[in-house]
Amino acid sequence: MCKGLAALPATCLKSAKDIKHKIGFLLQKTEPQQEQKPLKEKLKATENRVSPVEAQKWKTSFNYLIQNEHGRNAFSAFLQSEYSQENIEFWEACEELKQTSVDKFNLKAGKIFELYVEADSPNEVNLDSATRESTRKNLENCDASCFDEAQSKIFTLMEKDSYIRFLKSKLFLEMCQPPSNNKPCSLEKRGKHHISEHSQCVPSYA
């Protein structure tokens, strides 16, 4: 017979609470379909505009990739597939904060902290407790450098981890491939015509 929660050992109750917390956190991390759409649209636009030569340049360095709008869009899409897009979102939020006017700065900084830095926040990034606490103290005298330490650590995390996997991903490798041109020569489609009309189909041997 069930005797209720009071009859359970304290360790069981703690485990149950931990599981409940983890499930709730994962549910928070799952993006609704409507929020994924803008990123997919950006990626489609990026694939249409980026040449294989430009995509190859993203291998130069992570800094080169992240400073390039198309490169950052592609990298964001890759992070989304790994459910770790909060890292690039935090980095971008820090960059935007540096361009924010003084009258809106404190409010925006507080929102960034609550969304990405605060423990158990909806899009919590992977920071050690010391960095988290120092960032909290920085907000007391808020300026353009208040997130510098946290942003730098997330940059390094992406550079040493996600960026390496991105360069090996199907998404990146396909963007580096030259467009295939399997269109048949017009000679095959139109039958027998004078060769001069289709000289572009015949290789020249000088």
Side-chain angles (χ1 to χ4, degrees), residues 42-61:
K42 282 185 178 180
L43 178 60
K44 186 176 181 181
T46 293
E47 290 175 332
N48 291 336
R49 295 175 186 174
V50 176
S51 68
V53 174
E54 182 181 350
Q56 287 280 358
K57 292 179 181 178
W58 298 344
K59 294 191 291 186
T60 304
S61 71

Side-chain angles (χ1 to χ4, degrees), residues 57-161:
K57 292 179 181 178
W58 298 344
K59 294 191 291 186
T60 304
S61 71
F62 179 58
N63 189 58
Y64 184 94
L65 167 76
I66 206 170
Q67 296 294 341
N68 180 282
E69 180 184 358
H70 297 313
R72 195 164 61 250
N73 287 342
F75 186 62
S76 295
F78 171 73
L79 290 184
Q80 187 179 73
S81 72
E82 293 199 330
Y83 300 99
S84 60
Q85 65 268 26
E86 70 276 1
N87 291 323
I88 190 66
E89 289 174 359
F90 172 67
W91 185 90
E92 289 178 324
C94 292
E95 291 296 294
E96 291 174 6
L97 181 66
K98 295 170 185 176
Q99 309 300 322
T100 302
S101 59
V102 176
D103 59 317
K104 298 179 180 178
F105 193 93
N106 287 359
L107 179 62
K108 192 166 187 175
K111 287 182 177 180
I112 292 174
F113 185 88
E114 292 174 0
L115 187 59
Y116 299 105
V117 182
E118 184 77 82
D120 300 328
S121 55
N123 294 318
E124 181 184 353
V125 293
N126 188 10
L127 293 170
D128 58 89
S129 57
T131 303
R132 203 181 306 278
E133 189 56 34
S134 64
T135 304
R136 184 194 304 277
K137 290 180 179 179
N138 289 343
L139 293 182
E140 296 174 4
N141 298 298
C142 210
D143 60 26
S145 65
C146 61
F147 287 103
D148 279 2
E149 182 184 6
Q151 185 185 18
S152 176
K153 292 201 171 184
I154 294 303
F155 179 95
T156 301
L157 176 66
M158 292 189 291
E159 181 180 34
K160 302 297 183 183
D161 186 29

Side-chain angles (χ1 to χ4, degrees), residues 16-46:
K17 288 180 180 179
D18 288 344
I19 292 171
K20 181 180 179 182
H21 169 74
K22 288 178 180 178
I23 292 174
F25 182 68
L26 288 171
L27 289 173
Q28 285 179 319
K29 298 275 285 184
T30 304
E31 273 195 313
Q33 189 66 29
Q34 61 267 27
E35 292 182 13
Q36 294 181 14
K37 188 176 180 181
L39 184 54
K40 289 181 179 179
E41 290 175 350
K42 282 185 178 180
L43 178 60
K44 186 176 181 181
T46 293

